[in-house]
Amino acid sequence: MPVYLYYGEDTYSLNQKIDQLVNQNVYPDWKAFNYVRLSGNEKNIAANVFTEVMTLPFGEGSKIVHVDSEYLIGSLSNEDNLDLDNQLSQIPSNSILLITGNNKPDSRRAVVKTILKYAQQEEFPLVPSWDKKGIINLIGKYAAAHQVKLTPDVTHYLVEAIGNNTARAKSEFALLAIYADGKTLELEEVSQLVSNNNTDYSELTIAMLRNHPNLAIMQISKLLDNNEHPLKIVATLTSIFRIWLITKAGLEAKLAENKIAEIAELKNPKRLHYLKDEVKYVAVQKLKNSLTTLVQLETELKTGTHSLTSRIIEICTV
């Protein structure tokens, strides 16, 4: 099939699939000519896409014309649908139109229906970070693929340590497979090989939220010992406190849950159930003050003032 539509938030798996498609169809010696990536900065993007895909490949193998769905589909109107149908039906057998994006195109649109008529589509969804069962399945899938035998406590540790990060899951299990060499891995061994920064972040934010400075200092030390950059720590904390503030303020304003999820930019609104529990006993003012302090901390770090620990303590005491 000469048209492929790939979409989803698991960008690592999506990019792996793109590489696979290119390697299977484009000869390495001719890749510079036969793999064409078009960006949204180009004028008349749709016209350029079909000019390229109708042009025969150089040398051996097939040609792939790769474009982002937002740029191609966004540039098309319903009036273009008839021309689109004709163009898609005439793509040469040795040319491939590859359309990719983070989101599934709106299938209610006529042009999208036409593309779907010709396209082989595949979705690459990212398991939500709160979906423990989904992450357990993800860890199990990578363990099976690399033939790594895990005990239940090791599986639990890896679920917390790796989370829904598919790129990290692949690299960590490649390492674990070499180390295990067919043996069942024990928790002590795995914890030495795979660092667990996710749990450290979780415990840090809860310590800050519940005003436990000693625990917060301990978690900051762990993150720094694991080579987490202070600016990355602050960026992560800022994102979490922003979502907490929006959630708490939205609940107090009696906004609809779908509206709170929209404002907080939650990719999965079901996460709101967990957020409501986390901020249940926290005042809006504490969240506001904490977010203000984190913004000040970011500025201080960027100007050479090493105030990470003192600012974290400050947030724990407001």
Side-chain angles (χ1 to χ4, degrees):
M1 188 172 289
V3 183
Y4 290 83
L5 173 63
Y6 297 155
Y7 58 88
E9 294 175 345
D10 185 356
T11 53
Y12 175 77
S13 296
L14 189 150
N15 287 329
Q16 291 286 103
K17 187 68 175 183
I18 292 170
D19 290 343
Q20 180 184 353
L21 185 70
V22 172
N23 292 335
Q24 287 176 345
N25 292 276
V26 178
Y27 272 57
D29 292 345
W30 298 98
K31 185 176 179 180
F33 300 97
N34 291 338
Y35 175 65
V36 181
R37 184 75 162 96
L38 296 176
S39 72
N41 296 326
E42 300 188 26
K43 296 180 179 179
N44 304 317
I45 182 71
N48 289 343
V49 165
F50 286 104
T51 296
E52 285 287 354
V53 84
M54 297 299 179
T55 304
L56 295 176
F58 284 94
E60 300 175 277
S62 297
K63 178 179 183 179
I64 293 180
V65 179
H66 182 183
V67 63
D68 192 287
S69 62
E70 178 184 352
Y71 300 136
L72 176 61
I73 297 173
S75 71
L76 297 170
S77 66
N78 288 338
E79 288 72 25
D80 300 318
N81 196 45
L82 182 59
D83 286 342
L84 176 64
D85 197 318
N86 291 333
Q87 290 168 322
L88 291 173
S89 66
Q90 296 176 31
I91 294 177
S93 60
N94 57 351
S95 288
I96 292 172
L97 173 58
L98 173 60
I99 306 168
T100 63
N102 289 334
N103 301 312
K104 182 178 181 179
D106 186 353
S107 58
R108 295 172 295 180
R109 291 190 59 197
V111 291
V112 175
K113 290 179 181 178
T114 299
I115 290 172
L116 293 178
K117 185 170 76 172
Y118 292 96
Q120 177 178 313
Q121 60 176 315
E122 189 169 348
E123 184 177 9
F124 298 86
L126 188 66
V127 178
S129 58
W130 51 264
D131 183 0
K132 295 302 181 186
K133 185 176 180 181
I135 297 175
I136 288 171
N137 292 336
L138 178 71
I139 295 300
K141 183 184 79 171
Y142 276 94
H146 289 82
Q147 299 181 326
V148 175
K149 301 172 186 176
L150 306 176
T151 60
D153 57 343
V154 171
T155 298
H156 176 75
Y157 176 82
L158 292 174
V159 165
E160 294 295 330
I162 297 175
N164 62 352
N165 189 332
T166 52
R168 187 180 177 199
K170 182 176 181 179
S171 64
E172 296 288 14
F173 271 100
L175 173 65
L176 291 173
I178 295 171
Y179 181 86
D181 194 24
K183 298 181 297 183
T184 300
L185 291 171
E186 299 297 331
L187 179 58
E188 184 178 354
E189 298 172 296
V190 173
S191 61
Q192 294 293 320
L193 295 167
V194 181
S195 61
N196 187 358
N197 289 346
N198 289 333
T199 296
D200 292 337
Y201 272 115
S202 177
E203 292 182 1
L204 170 60
T205 53
I206 294 300
M208 294 167 67
L209 201 64
R210 305 286 185 253
N211 296 338
H212 297 304
N214 291 335
L215 178 58
I217 293 170
M218 183 173 71
Q219 298 307 322
I220 283 288
S221 297
K222 285 184 180 179
L223 289 168
L224 294 174
D225 288 344
N226 286 331
N227 295 318
E228 289 288 278
H229 195 284
L231 283 173
K232 181 185 174 183
I233 295 173
V234 174
T236 302
L237 296 177
T238 300
S239 175
I240 293 170
F241 272 87
R242 173 186 171 275
I243 292 173
W244 273 340
L245 175 58
I246 292 171
T247 300
K248 186 67 177 185
L251 291 171
E252 291 197 351
K254 294 182 168 49
L255 295 180
E257 290 192 356
N258 62 339
K259 186 63 177 178
I260 297 174
E262 179 185 343
I263 297 172
E265 299 177 349
L266 300 181
K267 294 177 180 177
N268 194 317
K270 291 181 181 178
R271 184 183 169 199
L272 189 62
H273 171 75
Y274 299 91
L275 293 169
K276 287 164 61 178
D277 282 344
E278 290 170 354
V279 299
K280 188 174 182 179
Y281 301 108
V282 183
V284 165
Q285 195 58 49
K286 175 180 173 61
L287 296 171
K288 286 182 179 178
N289 292 342
S290 299
L291 201 54
T292 300
T293 302
L294 287 170
V295 172
Q296 293 171 343
L297 173 57
E298 180 182 3
T299 301
E300 289 166 357
L301 291 173
K302 288 180 177 178
T303 55
T305 303
H306 302 291
S307 54
L308 178 62
T309 302
S310 61
R311 287 295 191 182
I312 295 301
I313 294 173
E314 180 181 335
I315 291 172
C316 290
T317 57
V318 295

